[in-house]
Amino acid sequence: QVKKQCDQKLLIRMKTKCVPCSLNLDTQCPAGYSKITSGTGTPDCRYYLETKAHTLSFPGCRHRCVKEFEQPECCQGHWGPDCMGK
């Protein structure tokens, strides 16, 4: 039995929106993603508050999230929707 399908595992990474670190404890990743940071997340961003006269910038936190995704792919020497070609 020759293996025709060689699916590729992809890791999709994303970061949540930057918010005040004290409010980031309960931030959830989007559906299907797993949180890989804990607590208040990573303090590596800035968020902005607009007043009538100014836009103020503050240091904030965000969480990192990952999602594993399997990309269907044919093994070498096979192609087509059913990976049958030789």
Side-chain angles (χ1 to χ4, degrees), residues 46-58:
R46 297 189 76 77
Y47 67 96
Y48 301 91
L49 287 179
E50 287 187 32
T51 64
K52 282 195 166 96
H54 304 286
T55 299
L56 305 173
S57 168
F58 299 97

Side-chain angles (χ1 to χ4, degrees), residues 4 7 10 12 17 34 58 60 62 75-76:
K4 298 178 183 108
D7 293 348
L10 301 176
I12 302 168
K17 197 173 133 202
S34 303
F58 299 97
R62 56 189 171 179
C75 297
Q76 198 169 352

